[in-house]
């Protein structure tokens, strides 16, 4: 048997393999039997979007290190392909790979607006800010045509319900006509993720997201429309994006961001081997240094899920990053609480006037299975 073919980066994709998910029963191991042609090996993974009829649409969490309680995600999987995405392991629940499948086999919750209307109409519903796009980006490329996020925002706008969005896509500018009036009433804020200012690093790290310069322009556009913008410097990757920390914050401030937060690199479950494959493909000369530093900030492990440590790490290097961030935001005047969830106004909330009937069944679902009697 010939040795495995070396992993190579695929143009327009973050992951360099379709790593097996942790719930798959049968193991897979690639090897070169001499029959695979170069053009077959380099064939692109085409994006497939499947309609999904979700049963519920609002997710609730009690994590003490997350500043919101309720979130809404219109999509499963994300075509942006960010190699560091903590949501990648969720594709394992679907029997798919957290690798290339996560960024090419997507699921769109087409009934999200209707589900939201029914949820807001319940007599027991108590309004509080809903965070959109936390797990996967609500403004990834397929949103341009599907417009699920747009229709969700129309419901929230109609009901005067507070919302917070986080994205790394310029498509968010499309919805300024909804967000600006809400922001004027203290009902909308936005966060733009800005990982690096280097377009070459960004193209491999988050290949189908907006370029860094375009994200800065989005911060400026939202700010000029009166929408408070927070910059998310996440993740901070040692020896890759970490040297830029202060420059990223300064650029975001100059573009209009009013506050900032950061997260050090997180490598839960399958993200860890996928990230190491990416390092070997793009930064082989520093891959070992990066992982050594990651382990130093995680108590000797690749990842620690403890709520008190998972976002910022621990130890000397994690403390140095924290100090750099604190000093930079204080110097730039970005250590404000402006744009925080607690400041959003839910007092004007009104229940939706039109509520779609609850459907006991759907004729189709994400698996394509049909009801026997439909």
């Amino acid at each position: 048997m010939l040795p495995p073919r070396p992993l190579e980066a695929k143009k327009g994709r973050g992951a360099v393999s379709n790593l097996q998910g942790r719930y798959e029963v049968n193991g897979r191991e690639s090897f070169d039997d001499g029959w695979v042609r170069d053009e077959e090996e380099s064939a692109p993974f085409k994006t497939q979007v499947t309609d999904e009829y979700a049963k519920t649409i609002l997710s609730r969490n009690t994590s003490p290190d997350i500043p919101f309680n309720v979130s809404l995600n219109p999509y499963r999987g994300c075509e942006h392909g960010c190699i560091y995405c903590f949501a990648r392991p969720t594709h394992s629940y679907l029997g798919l790979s957290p690798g290339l499948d996560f960024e090419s086999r997507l699921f769109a919750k087409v009934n999200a607006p209707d589900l939201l209307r029914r949820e807001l109409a319940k007599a027991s519903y108590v309004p509080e800010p809903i965070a959109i796009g936390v797990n996967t980006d609500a403004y990834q490329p397929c949103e341009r045509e599907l417009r699920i996020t747009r229709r969700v925002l129309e419901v929230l706008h109609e009901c005067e319900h507070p919302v917070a969005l986080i994205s790394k896509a310029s498509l968010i500018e499309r919805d300024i006509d909804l967000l600006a009036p809400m922001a004027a009433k203290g009902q909308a804020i936005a966060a733009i993720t800005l990982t690096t200012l280097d377009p070459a690093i960004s193209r491999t790290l988050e290949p189908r997201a907006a370029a860094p310069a375009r994200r800065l322009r989005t911060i400026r556009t939202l700010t000029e429309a009166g929408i408070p913008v927070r910059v998310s410097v996440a993740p901070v990757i040692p020896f890759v994006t970490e040297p830029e920390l202060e420059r990223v914050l300064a650029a975001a401030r100059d573009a209009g961001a009013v506050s900032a937060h950061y997260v050090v690199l997180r490598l839960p479950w399958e993200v860890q081997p996928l990230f190491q494959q990416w390092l070997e493909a793009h930064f082989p000369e520093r891959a070992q240094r990066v992982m050594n530093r990651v382990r130093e900030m995680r108590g000797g492990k690749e990842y620690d899920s403890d709520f008190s440590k998972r976002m910022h790490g621990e130890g000397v290097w994690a403390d140095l990053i924290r100090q750099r961030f604190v000093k930079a935001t204080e110097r730039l005047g970005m250590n404000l609480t402006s744009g925080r969830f607690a400041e959003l106004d839910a007092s004007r909330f009104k229940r939706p006037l039109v509520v779609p009937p609850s459907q006991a069944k759907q004729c189709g679902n994400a698996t394509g299975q049909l009801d026997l009697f439909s």
Side-chain angles (χ1 to χ4, degrees):
M1 181 184 297
L2 296 175
R5 294 169 65 96
L7 294 173
E8 297 179 357
K10 291 177 170 51
K11 185 177 180 180
R13 296 298 181 186
V16 297
S17 79
N18 226 7
L19 183 81
Q20 182 175 348
R22 64 189 182 280
Y23 296 121
E24 292 188 41
V25 176
N26 298 316
R28 299 193 303 267
E29 184 175 341
S30 63
F31 68 95
D32 187 354
D33 59 4
W35 286 95
V36 178
R37 295 179 295 182
D38 290 340
E39 58 267 27
E40 293 175 341
E41 183 71 14
S42 60
F45 271 71
K46 294 183 178 180
T47 302
Q48 305 172 40
V49 183
T50 302
D51 289 353
E52 175 184 347
Y53 291 91
K55 294 181 179 179
T56 60
I57 198 58
L58 295 182
S59 300
R60 289 176 169 81
N61 80 83
T62 56
S63 304
D65 57 348
I66 296 178
F68 57 86
N69 299 320
V70 185
S71 63
L72 187 156
N73 294 287
Y75 301 98
R76 294 181 194 262
C78 185
E79 195 176 358
H80 284 163
C82 306
I83 190 58
Y84 52 76
C85 182
F86 65 87
R88 282 184 178 273
T90 61
H91 248 45
S92 293
Y93 299 129
L94 306 175
L96 298 172
S97 170
L100 290 165
D101 280 350
F102 176 80
E103 52 196 273
S104 62
R105 298 183 65 177
L106 315 177
F107 297 86
K109 301 175 185 178
V110 293
N111 62 337
D114 288 348
L115 286 176
L116 179 60
R117 280 187 180 278
R118 290 203 290 272
E119 187 72 25
L120 301 187
K122 292 179 180 177
S124 60
Y125 180 79
V126 178
E128 60 180 308
I130 294 177
I132 297 181
V134 176
N135 215 37
T136 56
D137 205 307
Y139 287 101
Q140 58 182 289
C142 61
E143 166 63 17
R144 192 173 299 277
E145 294 183 3
L146 296 179
R147 300 171 69 86
I148 299 174
T149 302
R150 169 77 185 189
R151 290 186 288 126
V152 164
L153 286 177
E154 287 172 346
V155 175
L156 297 175
H157 179 270
E158 173 191 325
C159 297
E160 298 198 54
H161 192 294
V163 65
L165 298 111
I166 183 166
S167 180
K168 52 174 68 77
S170 59
L171 183 58
I172 191 175
E173 296 172 6
R174 177 200 64 189
D175 295 334
I176 284 178
D177 63 318
L178 296 173
L179 295 172
M182 296 177 73
K185 293 181 284 188
Q187 296 170 352
I189 58 174
I192 299 297
T193 301
L194 188 60
T195 313
T196 175
L197 298 178
D198 188 331
I201 293 178
S202 183
R203 276 194 298 271
T204 62
L205 189 67
E206 39 204 17
R208 299 199 180 190
R214 186 66 183 89
R215 285 183 232 181
L216 288 171
R217 185 153 51 118
T218 296
I219 293 175
R220 185 171 295 108
T221 301
L222 294 174
T223 299
E224 290 173 351
I227 302 165
V229 180
R230 182 177 176 85
V231 65
S232 171
V233 187
V236 177
I237 304 174
F239 304 118
V240 179
T241 66
E242 164 263 323
E244 298 180 77
L245 179 60
E246 290 84 358
R247 296 197 300 275
V248 168
L249 288 168
R253 190 279 310 270
D254 292 344
V258 294
S259 60
H261 76 276
Y262 79 99
V263 178
V264 298
L265 178 67
R266 298 168 54 190
L267 299 175
W269 299 107
E270 294 93 341
V271 181
Q272 185 263 124
L274 285 166
F275 180 77
Q276 291 203 53
Q277 290 175 358
W278 177 86
L279 273 178
E280 292 294 342
H282 296 285
F283 296 98
E285 77 289 349
R286 69 182 89 166
Q288 194 59 52
R289 290 178 65 208
V290 172
M291 290 309 302
N292 286 344
R293 183 59 53 81
V294 168
R295 295 184 189 102
E296 286 183 57
M297 294 193 295
R298 297 296 184 188
K301 301 179 288 187
E302 272 83 15
Y303 183 58
D304 186 348
S305 61
D306 187 284
F307 286 138
S308 65
K309 304 173 184 176
R310 64 175 182 169
M311 296 298 186
H312 299 144
E314 61 179 318
V316 174
W317 294 109
D319 193 52
L320 284 174
I321 290 175
R322 182 191 60 79
Q323 291 182 46
R324 287 171 58 190
F325 177 83
V326 170
K327 289 180 179 180
T329 51
E330 287 178 347
R331 184 177 67 255
L332 296 167
M334 299 178 72
N335 57 331
L336 309 173
T337 58
S338 300
R340 298 292 287 174
F341 290 87
E343 298 176 7
L344 291 171
D345 183 11
S347 64
R348 299 170 183 259
F349 171 69
K350 52 190 179 186
R351 303 193 188 282
L353 297 177
V354 179
V355 181
S358 179
Q359 296 180 357
K361 63 180 180 179
Q362 296 286 352
C363 291
N365 54 34
T367 63
Q369 183 177 356
L370 299 178
D371 189 291
L372 179 62
F373 302 103
S374 62

